Amino acid sequence: EPEVTQTPSHQVTQMGQEVILRCVPISNHLYFYWYRQILGQKVEFLVSFYNNEISEKSEIFDDQFSVERPDGSNFTLKIRSTKLEDSAMYFCASYFGTLGSGVYGYTFGSGTRLTVV
Amino acid sequence: AQTVTQSQPEMSVQEAETVTLSCTYDTSENNYYLFWYKQPPSRQMILVIRQEAYKQQNATENRFSVNFQKAAKSFSLKISDSQLGDTAMYFCAFMSNTGNQFYFGTGTSLTVIP
C-alpha cells in the first residue's frame, strides 16, 4: 500500500533557527497538505498545495511558513525563525483528487515531531 | 465555517464490550464527507471509517460502525467487541465536497480496560 513518508520523525531546534520538514507524497497524488497538532490539541490545517502553488492556507500559516515542491517528489514545509509555540507534530498528507480513488484517496504521513527549545 | 464537536474528552470500556463515541458538526453544505481517525500513542493518523453525506446507509468496517443522522448533524462511532489495541485518541473529521481540507474535532481519548 502506498505511503506518505515524512522525515525526520523527530527534530529538535533552537528558537530562532530555520527548520525544514520533508515529505514524500504518494507519487500519483495531486494535492499536498500540511497539518499541525500541538500536544493535547486537535489537528489543524495549515496549507494545501496544488499545481505548484498554494491553493489554500489557514491563519496559522503566516509569513514565517513556506512550502515548496522543489523536485517533483519532495514536498517541504519551512519555518524561517522558529518560536517555542511552533513545537508540535506536523503531518503531511497527499490526495489524488477524488475521494473515490485508492484507499479513500487521502493519506497522512506518520508525522514529524518538532521541538523548539 | 465548518465546526466539529466531540463532547467526550475521555472514555473507557471493558475489553469485549461496546462503546459509542459522539460527534456533532455544523455546516450549511448538503454534500460532504465525515470521517473517524484513530491516533494511537505513535501519533500516526489512521483512517477508521468514512461516510458520504449523500448515502443514507450507515458505513461499517468490521467492528466499527457509524450512526449518521444528517438532520441532527450527528456522526457517532460504535466500536463493538473492544480490543486492547483500540486504545487511542479518536478524532471525528469533516470534509466539504467542494474543498479538500479536513476540519477535526478535539478528540476523544478511549481506553480499553482488560
Side-chain angles (χ1 to χ4, degrees), chain A residues 61-107:
Chain A
F61 194 88
D62 61 21
D63 292 343
Q64 291 297 314
F65 292 90
S66 63
V67 291
E68 62 176 5
R69 193 161 152 81
D71 56 11
S73 62
N74 291 287
F75 178 52
T76 62
L77 174 69
K78 182 192 292 185
I79 309 174
R80 289 192 181 80
S81 178
T82 49
K83 309 183 190 73
L84 294 176
E85 54 265 36
D86 293 327
S87 294
M89 192 79 155
Y90 288 82
F91 291 100
C92 175
S94 73
Y95 174 49
F96 180 77
T98 58
L99 282 176
S101 60
V103 182
Y104 301 106
Y106 201 118
T107 306

